Amino acid sequence: MSKKRPAATALAGALCLVTAACGSPTGTADGAAGDASAAAAKSGYPVTLTNCGESEKFGKEPSRVVLMNGASVAEVSTLLSLGLGDRIVANQQSYGMSEVAGRAAAVKKLPTGNVKLNDAYDIPREAMIGLRPDLVLSTTSYGFDEKNGFATRDQLKQAGANTYVSPQGCDQDTSRMTIADSYTLLRDMGKIFGRSAQAEKLVAASQKHIDEVAAKVEGEKQPKVMVLFSNMAMGGNDFSSVVAKGIYNDILAKAGGTNAFANASRTSFADLSKEKVAATDVDALVVIGYNDPNPAAYARKLLKEFPQWPAAKNDKYVALSDSMYLGPSNDLAVAKIAEMLHPDKF
């Protein structure tokens, strides 16, 4: 897989309609249809969500879910955290590492649908229709763009499949993403699958953990942190995978830090020269590993390359993976970064 597109994409929350699930089958008697409607109402369905500006109705719990790549693990991690792995018939999201014990192995075990991927490293239109999904999840609207060779949301609706674009994914601009978007994704999946109570428990636990960490570092000096992906090129300069904006900054703020390169770009990522990086005071490093077996080694290499950094003098770094993305585990990133930045508070 190319390492360029994966890190650059992002995440969001939404949903569309499974038309076949909402009507009664042909030939069903009025009484039977009434019984079915009563059963649906008792189960909490239908559910209506607003997704990318559209109000969509969901008639029943999905049972054939397809997860598109989008360089994300937010959607698959969210479904697994809700105990919904058995609903997935094809998953194209993978990471190979996780802050959550057992998650990487659980993702690896999921079926892929045995699909031949297109040039965008995702499921092409005909193969998608052939999977007979009743729900397709995409990190951004990119996954439903006909120009990219994908099935559109309208085409999938005609095939009887709901579609969902995750929070901040409608316009593919993830620079405004926050931890709250991870909670939106959890809650939306909870509503769709009749797991709202479980989703609220996960949200509450995450919020409690983050609040406890934030309280410990409140009022402390906020170190300047460089966040970047290890051994990844996304532009023309030496440092093209440096984070400027997005959910990463919200995580940093909760952990008692600030992004040293927040003003280096108006988008999520900055493409920086070695000179620019060298001229910036970096107090600490957060290195995100994506398909890199040893991001900590990359962090140590950077500290050696820039010995003038306070981060190098104090050996301040932490290597993370999926907890820095949209998804159910942002509290783990907050805790690990806070412990690295303010060890005396823990």
Side-chain angles (χ1 to χ4, degrees):
M1 173 183 288
S2 164
K3 288 191 177 183
K4 290 192 177 183
R5 196 170 87 60
T9 27
L11 326 147
L15 145 120
C16 278
L17 162 75
V18 182
T19 52
C22 302
S24 58
T26 303
T28 301
D30 289 345
D35 291 343
S37 296
K42 186 177 180 180
S43 69
Y45 292 97
V47 170
T48 300
L49 293 180
T50 300
N51 178 221
C52 296
E54 297 182 17
S55 181
E56 299 293 349
K57 190 177 181 182
F58 208 125
K60 66 178 181 180
E61 181 180 342
S63 60
R64 295 187 60 81
V65 184
V66 174
L67 298 161
M68 300 191 74
N69 179 357
S72 171
V73 283
E75 293 77 21
V76 69
S77 296
T78 298
L79 292 188
L80 288 175
S81 73
L82 291 169
L84 296 166
D86 61 342
R87 307 295 193 275
I88 299 170
V89 295
N91 170 56
Q92 292 303 323
Q93 299 183 357
S94 65
Y95 210 88
M97 53 186 16
S98 176
E99 272 71 72
V100 178
R103 177 173 289 163
V107 171
K108 189 175 182 179
K109 287 179 183 176
L110 293 172
T112 64
N114 296 315
V115 173
K116 182 179 179 181
L117 304 183
N118 61 14
D119 291 342
Y121 301 100
D122 221 326
I123 304 173
R125 178 172 50 254
E126 294 304 320
M128 176 65 79
I129 300 300
L131 288 168
R132 298 181 295 107
D134 57 10
L135 175 62
V136 179
L137 305 182
S138 178
T139 297
T140 73
S141 57
Y142 181 95
F144 299 121
D145 192 330
E146 197 166 23
K147 296 194 299 289
N148 302 324
F150 301 132
T152 67
R153 299 182 76 172
D154 282 343
Q155 289 166 347
L156 286 165
K157 181 188 290 188
Q158 291 165 15
N162 274 15
T163 51
Y164 180 96
V165 177
S166 293
Q168 304 299 334
C170 299
D171 60 3
Q172 302 186 51
D173 178 8
T174 60
S175 63
R176 297 183 300 273
M177 189 179 291
T178 67
I179 294 170
D181 292 309
S182 293
Y183 298 153
T184 295
L185 178 58
L186 257 174
R187 285 173 167 136
D188 282 353
M189 291 301 109
K191 291 173 187 173
I192 291 169
F193 288 92
R195 301 285 197 284
S196 286
Q198 191 172 343
E200 289 301 332
K201 284 183 181 178
L202 291 172
V203 170
S206 173
Q207 288 177 322
K208 182 174 184 288
H209 192 193
I210 290 174
D211 287 347
E212 288 171 350
V213 172
K216 290 180 180 180
V217 300
E218 186 177 3
E220 295 296 304
K221 182 180 177 183
Q222 296 185 325
K224 295 177 182 176
V225 184
M226 181 183 191
V227 182
L228 78 167
F229 288 79
S230 60
N231 293 306
M232 181 176 288
M234 287 165 32
N237 283 295
D238 291 331
F239 293 90
S240 56
S241 65
V242 177
V243 169
K245 292 176 173 59
I247 194 170
Y248 319 95
N249 290 2
D250 193 19
I251 290 170
L252 286 180
K254 299 289 195 302
T258 185
N259 190 338
F261 297 95
N263 296 321
S265 173
R266 286 180 292 182
T267 60
S268 296
F269 293 91
D271 186 6
L272 304 176
S273 66
K274 184 175 180 178
E275 291 72 24
K276 169 69 175 173
V277 170
T280 304
D281 282 334
V282 173
D283 297 317
L285 278 179
V286 173
V287 173
I288 306 171
Y290 179 81
N291 286 338
D292 183 352
N294 197 349
Y298 179 77
R300 291 191 293 270
K301 180 184 125 184
L302 277 188
L303 295 180
K304 185 178 287 188
E305 188 175 355
F306 299 99
Q308 74 277 18
W309 283 349
K313 295 171 183 175
N314 299 311
D315 197 32
K316 286 276 188 182
Y317 74 89
V318 65
L320 297 173
S321 58
D322 60 342
S323 63
M324 284 295 284
Y325 286 94
L326 181 79
S329 309
N330 296 151
D331 61 306
L332 300 183
V334 171
K336 288 180 180 294
I337 294 171
E339 289 165 11
M340 182 264 294
L341 295 178
H342 306 283
D344 56 321
K345 296 294 178 181
F346 295 89

